[in-house]
Each structure stands twice: as structure tokens, then as C-alpha cells.
Amino acid sequence: MSYKFTEDHEWVLLEGDVATIGISDYAQGQLGDVVYVEVPTVGDEIAKGDELAVVESVKAASEVYSPVSGEIIDVNTELEGAPTMVNEDAMEGGWFAKIRVTNSADLDDLMDEATYKTFVEGLDE
Amino acid sequence: MSETSSTKKTVLYNLHVELGAKMVPFAGYDMPVQYPEGILNEHLHTRESAGLFDVSHMGQLVIAGDNPAAAIETLIPGDIQALGSGEMRYSFLTNEQGGILDDLIVTQRTEDLFVVVNAACKAQDIALLTDGLAGKAQVTELTNRALVALQGPKAAAVLARFAPEVATMSFMTYREVDIDGVPCFVTRSGYTGEDGFEISIPNNNAEALCRKLLGDSDVKPIGLGARDSLRLEAGLCLYGHDLTEKTTPISAGLIWAISKRRREEGGFPGADVIQAEISNKPAMKRVGILPEGRAPAREHTVITDEAGNAIGEITSGGFSPSLGIPIAMGYVPLDFSAIGTKINLLVRGKSRPAVVAKMPFVEQRYYRG
């Protein structure tokens, strides 16, 4: 069990068939102070690549795309009152949604932590 | 990252980078959108203490001639001839349809006018002023000067440590002041809703003087991100968004910037349209908007009536760091412009309730002596 990352800076943590989704620490740093997060509705089906959440910083709204297909089984309701959790604890407390994945192969083409770290370092050049 | 060979740098560029600013292209310049503190903290610091903004990308012009105040009145509806030496006024260049080509600040100096225009409109404004005033006045851009704004409740105390005479300046006045030995043009003005100053500094002295100001423990550098959220809270218009060639001063709620004499006499582009709107009311009006809930409604968000019919659009919208809620402004038909009118906003396809609200959202705190 380890974090996987997309090129759009979402992270996925798969436990059994449940994937927890958030955005990386790099992404929260780029967005700046998060003031609102729109999370999906529990029970909805979502396809890989669909909009999963919207993160609003002071200056702009940014879409978060689902790296996996499946059913939304839980969302982080604490973000409603404490959106800055995304800045303060992006990799844990700032999670957006849990998805029961229909095809764990969705994760196959994602980056592991070391590869993502190299990917991000390349972006800062 | 986003830097290209065509973007220009202000003379404070190296200082911004040294301070850890995130630089973004804005109106052809590489400008600091935020420093490491972030927009939220920069915004709150300006409201509580004092913030230093680089606005050197804006155009600083001098208009000289036999009677430059009378000359410029042929292009703007501002009452410039009513200004005494050292007084200044907010106005705008208009087109023949009464639309706004740019908003600007005009200062009457002893011999000439000192004019500050928006960066994005600078080239167009200089061409328009040069052509429009040909034979009457000459327009010169002061490319040898930087421009910074020092804004916030502690701005006056900070600047007075370097130049005590600024303490007694009233809002919207101009004075030539030596700050730490550097000859500066100082105006008590700004665009944050706070008391403060804009300081025009010779390029060669700008970085050193800014370092001195930043050396004061009350002062922090503030980027364009917070500049935008501060002016939105103060209910102030951003050209290209809340004001365009298609919006008239009357629909924008800027009638206060046109004096009785200028309303009656006209004599500026689009005067007939603007006079008719004063008499008959404009079709659309700029209003403040408070979205319910926490989701910000951004520029171009469609405004509908409660039945779902599209009636207008948001022109500036975001999050208010001071109030901790989303705020916005936009244009609605006159019938929907009363404070308290219920409207809906289409945010990402979902209709969300909102209400027309009083502006400014945060009280303006100008120093009037």
C-alpha cells in the first residue's frame, strides 16, 4: 500500500478496493490558500478522467480529476468548514473522496512516489 | 516558468525574485502575484498594518501645454479644471458610445498634469491622448520612474518616519517630497480601500528606497493577487473586467466622478449617450453580490433571476479574506439592482442563491484630514 500520483498532481491511496483521492503537497503549494472545496456526492458513479472535485484558492478555481473509475463511497465533509486542511495536510487530512474502484488496473499507469518527485523537480526548472 | 523574452520587467524585478515572489505575466510585465506568505496573509496584513505593492507596470504620464486641464477634458468627463494645484481626481477615457476605454487618475500639478493609467491600456491611452490633444498639449511617458503603493492603516506612520510632511496630506492630494533624500511624487491614494500612498520614484533609487520601506517591521511586500482581493472588497472596479468599452460610467455606478458642470456641458466623447443615461437611467447596473454558502462565483458566472432566466454576468468574483466569505460584483438589469434582491448564480452548472448587496464590502478608510 503506497501513494500513486497522476501528472495532474492527484494522489491515490488504494486499500483493498477503496481508493482515497487527494492532491499532492506540490499542488497545494501551487494553488495557494484554499478557501473552498466542492466534493462529489456519495453514491455517484465516476469514470476515470471525470471531474471529481473543485478546489478554489483565493485567486482561481482548479478541477481535480478522478484517476480511477468507481462509486463514490465517502467524501471529506470536514473540508466544508476547514478548506485550508488541503494546504496544511494535503497527503492525509486534506483528502477529497473515497472511491470503490471497479478496475484496479486504473492505477497501473500512475507514478510511484519517487517517480512523481522527479517529475515535480522537472517542472520547477 | 512562464517568463518569455517578450515580457518586460519593472526595476523591482530582482527584489521580487529575492523576496521569493511567484512571478506571472501580467499586462506584458513579469509581476509578483504573491510572495511566500501567500495571498490570504498578504491581504490581511495590508488591512491590519502596511503593504508595499509594485505598480511600476502602470503608465505615468505628464501632459503639458497652455491649458492641459481644459485640453484633457475633451477626452474625459472628469472636472479637471476644478482641481487646484496638488489635487487629483479619478476619471476615465470614453468612446463615442459612452463606453470606458480606460480608467485613470489625473493630478493637477503647478504647471502640468500628472496622469496614471492602467498597464494593459498604456500604449492605447498614450496614442489616444497624443492624437486627441495634438496642438493643445504634449504627452510624455515617464519611463524613468517606478511606481509603488504603500497601503494600510500604518502606511502614514511608516512613510512619515522617512518624510514627516506626508502625515498631513489629505486623500487625493499630491506633493513632491524627498523621501530619504530621493525626490518622489507622493499622492495620498491607492486602490485597496485603505489609507495609503502611491510613490513615484526615479528608477535608479527605487530598489534602495523599497528596501528601506520593507525594513520597517510594519511593512510587507504584497503581490497582485492580494491587490485584486483588496480592491474587490473595497468595491473598486478593475478595467477590462468591471469596466470595458461596452460599459458606461453610469451603468458602472461612477456618476460621482462626473461633476454637475461636466454633466451639463458635456464636451467629452459619448457625452450625449451618458447624458441620456443620466436622465433615463441605464439598462444595466453594476452591483455588489453576496453568494450564499462558501463557493466563490468567478468572473463570467451567469446571473439568473429566481425563475432561472439569465439576466447578467459577474465581472469580478472571489473570496474575501477579511470577511471569510465569497464576494462578487456584476451587472444586472436596473429592476434587479436594489440591495436585498434575490438572484441565482450558475456555478459549474448548478444554480446557487445569492443576494444583491451593498458595496464596499469592507469599509473604506481614506484619510480626509
Side-chain angles (χ1 to χ4, degrees), chain A residues 26 29-33 35-36 38 51 54 56-61 63 80-81 83-84 123-125, chain B residues 1 22 33-34 37-41 225 229 293-298 317-319 321 347-348 350 352:
Chain A
Y26 173 84
Q30 290 293 306
L31 290 173
D33 308 299
V35 297
Y36 176 76
E38 187 165 294
E51 185 179 298
V54 177
E56 301 249 13
S57 68
V58 181
K59 63 175 187 286
E63 290 82 22
E80 194 174 332
T84 51
L123 296 177
D124 274 338
E125 285 310 307
Chain B
M1 234 175 359
K22 184 193 283 187
V33 65
Q34 66 175 80
E37 291 246 354
I39 296 173
L40 214 57
N41 288 330
S229 53
R294 309 239 343 149
R298 307 282 177 179
F319 181 79
V347 178
R348 291 182 285 276
K350 270 180 252 171
R352 294 169 180 273

Side-chain angles (χ1 to χ4, degrees), chain B residues 10 63 73-74 86 99 111 134 150 169 197 217 225 233 245 257 274 280 286 294 297 309 311 331 352 366 368:
Chain B
T10 75
I63 301 181
E73 283 191 0
T74 61
E111 298 284 325
L150 184 67
M169 290 176 70
F197 302 86
S217 60
E233 283 184 353
E245 291 179 26
I274 290 169
N280 307 327
R286 181 174 64 96
R294 309 239 343 149
N309 305 299
I311 56 168
Y331 284 82
R352 294 169 180 273
Y366 304 132
R368 300 192 191 268

Side-chain angles (χ1 to χ4, degrees), chain A residues 4-6 10-12 20-22 47-50 52 64-69 99 106-107 109-110:
Chain A
K4 296 273 197 172
F5 296 84
T6 72
E10 291 97 4
W11 58 257
V12 188
T20 306
I21 319 283
K48 180 176 178 168
D50 282 358
L52 175 74
V64 176
Y65 301 102
S66 182
V68 296
S69 299
I99 298 173
D106 282 348
L107 278 81
D109 52 356
L110 301 183

Side-chain angles (χ1 to χ4, degrees), chain B residues 44-57:
Chain B
L44 296 173
H45 180 83
T46 306
R47 289 265 182 260
E48 285 158 14
S49 186
L52 186 68
F53 304 72
D54 180 11
V55 288
S56 303
H57 56 315

